[in-house]
Amino acid sequence: MNNKSERYIPLVVTVGQVAIFPYYIIWLKEVSLTFTLFAWFFAIFSFAAAWGYRIFQSKKNKHNSYISFIYAGMGCVYILIGCIKSSFESLPYVVLPLQVILGLLQGYFRAWHVTQKTYHLHTVHHYLIVGFMMIGFSFVKIISPVVFITIFGFLLCMCGFWDFIRKKKAEFI
């Protein structure tokens, strides 16, 4: 694996998803009116993730995975979540498609990531990095969970853009 971007971007995305997950749960609980609705939102996310996983697994050409767009898509969803103000009644109707899109994209990413040569190395590093990040986050005073969610969204968009540019350069060489 000669390209460092190809090696480290999936690790950044995976670690970021796990590190941002507690803040995402806080945000989702804030926008859910009841625990039942919160549970339904997570069920929808899980079903959509299974669907995304299945979509990738059923592809005939797994090398053409459009993973740059998956990164950018997840980033856009997180940025959109960061921009939502939780003061209107139709918020659950907005959250529902976001849960489906995010679940679908994350399931697709997870299926793609498992097929990568560096996946087993990423798994070990993933647990170590997440542990240190969560200890570090425990010392940060939280203004709002959406701040972390939005920052992670921008990071994902940058990863998607960088991966896209890297692949375009590789096509010309």
Side-chain angles (χ1 to χ4, degrees):
M1 182 93 18
N2 295 334
N3 192 327
K4 289 186 179 189
S5 296
E6 190 175 338
R7 184 174 178 190
Y8 293 119
I9 288 177
L11 181 62
V12 168
V13 173
T14 303
V15 168
Q17 287 176 344
V18 173
I20 206 67
F21 203 65
Y23 301 105
Y24 184 76
I25 290 172
I26 292 168
W27 173 81
L28 192 61
K29 286 185 87 168
E30 287 176 1
V31 301
S32 300
L33 304 174
T34 64
F35 181 75
T36 303
L37 186 57
F38 174 75
W40 276 91
F41 281 151
F42 256 99
I44 289 165
F45 174 86
S46 296
F47 295 143
W51 182 29
Y53 197 95
R54 181 68 186 125
I55 287 172
F56 181 82
Q57 292 299 324
S58 64
K59 286 181 60 124
K60 295 198 184 332
N61 183 4
K62 291 187 170 57
H63 295 292
N64 190 11
S65 61
Y66 307 107
I67 201 66
S68 303
F69 297 109
I70 300 299
Y71 296 148
M74 286 188 291
C76 289
V77 170
Y78 282 122
I79 291 169
L80 184 61
I81 286 168
C83 295
I84 291 176
K85 304 297 180 219
S86 59
S87 60
F88 56 95
E89 295 100 26
S90 60
L91 190 58
Y93 300 107
V94 173
V95 172
L96 181 65
L98 291 176
Q99 285 291 92
V100 171
I101 294 167
L102 192 59
L104 182 74
L105 294 173
Q106 285 190 0
Y108 188 95
F109 167 74
R110 193 67 58 214
W112 170 83
H113 193 204
V114 170
T115 64
Q116 301 306 299
K117 294 175 186 174
T118 58
Y119 176 74
H120 298 290
L121 179 65
H122 284 173
T123 303
V124 172
H125 291 153
H126 168 266
Y127 289 120
L128 296 172
I129 294 170
V130 167
F132 285 117
M133 284 182 70
M134 296 314 288
I135 289 170
F137 280 159
S138 71
F139 294 110
V140 176
K141 185 168 177 97
I142 300 173
I143 300 167
S144 170
V146 296
V147 172
F148 290 115
I149 292 170
T150 306
I151 290 170
F152 181 61
F154 281 114
L155 178 66
L156 283 174
C157 285
M158 288 185 338
C159 286
F161 180 72
W162 181 258
D163 193 60
F164 181 75
I165 296 298
R166 181 189 60 78
K167 286 181 181 174
K168 285 297 178 192
K169 282 183 182 178
E171 286 178 7
F172 290 119
I173 296 177

